[in-house]
Amino acid sequence: MTVSIVTDSGSDLTPEQLREYSIRQVPLTVSFGQQSFQSPNELTPEEFWVRMASPDCPFPATAAPSPASFKRVFEELLGRGDDVVYVGISETLSATLRSGQMAKEMLGTGRVHVVDSRSASMCVGILAIRAAEMAARGMPAADIANAVTKMRERTKFFVALETLEYLRRGGRISGARAAIGGLLSVKPIMTIVEGEVVPI
């Protein structure tokens, strides 16, 4: 029985990485005002930052994929005889993982395994890549899910930012924290602890 690995675009895996490791990706939606895009299918990271740099750009919002989006992908993979391991962005940061879990429940099968990375960006991507490497070696889906769940405890996320303004506007940190960072004129280094974005 082969195993397919699924992630979401919160993993920040590149198209080249997705192809190299045969990982399926379910896209989140990014909206600028009334314009919405599936990211990165319809809006690349480079295009996103070009929009963000525009002075009249509305602040972007993200939306999780629907359970139906995950269900379509899971059904396709199950239909060809594969078991599925989905490694997703932290449930505390996005409703995306819950959509994947709901899709699994809708299908009513034990052949889909959902793993909360408890992180974001390439921390999710690294876990998905490791899962794909285990799948390529023939490891069963349940064992892959268990191994990735243990691996996430040893995987740490760090990001250095030019400003805390976007985290404040997106509701990821408080106004007080953003103000302190601005007053100190530092480029903050952030991490994720129990799904919360915090400064180091």
Side-chain angles (χ1 to χ4, degrees):
M1 179 79 65
T2 56
V3 178
S4 285
I5 307 303
V6 177
T7 191
D8 52 64
S9 55
S11 68
D12 285 335
L13 290 176
T14 65
E16 293 76 19
Q17 289 171 317
L18 294 169
R19 284 194 298 270
E20 179 181 356
Y21 294 99
S22 300
I23 298 171
R24 288 291 296 274
Q25 181 175 261
V26 179
L28 281 76
T29 298
V30 176
S31 298
F32 290 89
Q34 298 302 311
Q35 288 188 298
S36 295
F37 308 89
Q38 285 196 333
S39 176
N41 301 3
E42 300 170 343
L43 184 74
T44 67
E46 294 77 15
E47 291 167 337
F48 173 87
W49 288 112
V50 167
R51 281 178 172 267
M52 282 289 289
S54 174
D56 59 349
C57 175
F59 191 74
T62 58
S66 67
S69 298
F70 279 101
K71 184 171 178 282
R72 281 192 297 271
V73 172
F74 293 167
E75 280 179 324
E76 177 192 334
L77 299 172
L78 293 169
R80 71 187 195 193
D82 291 0
D83 285 354
V84 177
V85 176
Y86 162 51
V87 182
I89 188 171
S90 176
E91 188 173 25
T92 59
L93 296 175
S94 171
T96 302
L97 193 94
R98 182 61 189 144
S99 288
Q101 185 66 40
M102 289 173 67
K104 172 187 174 176
E105 291 165 5
M106 289 161 66
L107 290 168
T109 176
R111 292 173 54 204
V112 176
H113 303 264
V114 176
V115 179
D116 184 346
S117 69
R118 293 187 182 166
S119 196
S121 190
M122 274 305 295
C123 256
V124 186
I126 288 168
L127 294 176
I129 286 172
R130 294 294 173 263
E133 290 172 338
M134 288 184 266
R137 295 197 299 269
M139 189 179 290
D143 292 348
I144 293 172
N146 288 335
V148 171
T149 298
K150 292 177 183 175
M151 200 176 296
R152 75 184 179 193
E153 306 305 327
R154 306 191 307 272
T155 308
K156 304 300 178 188
F157 174 85
F158 302 99
V159 60
L161 304 171
E162 288 289 329
T163 174
L164 291 172
E165 178 62 14
Y166 298 127
L167 285 178
R168 182 195 67 78
R169 290 172 65 184
R172 298 300 183 193
I173 64 169
S174 68
R177 278 186 175 165
I180 290 169
L183 287 171
L184 295 174
S185 296
V186 295
K187 291 183 181 177
I189 300 175
M190 312 297 287
T191 189
I192 296 176
V193 178
E194 298 298 325
E196 181 184 0
V197 180
V198 295
I200 298 174

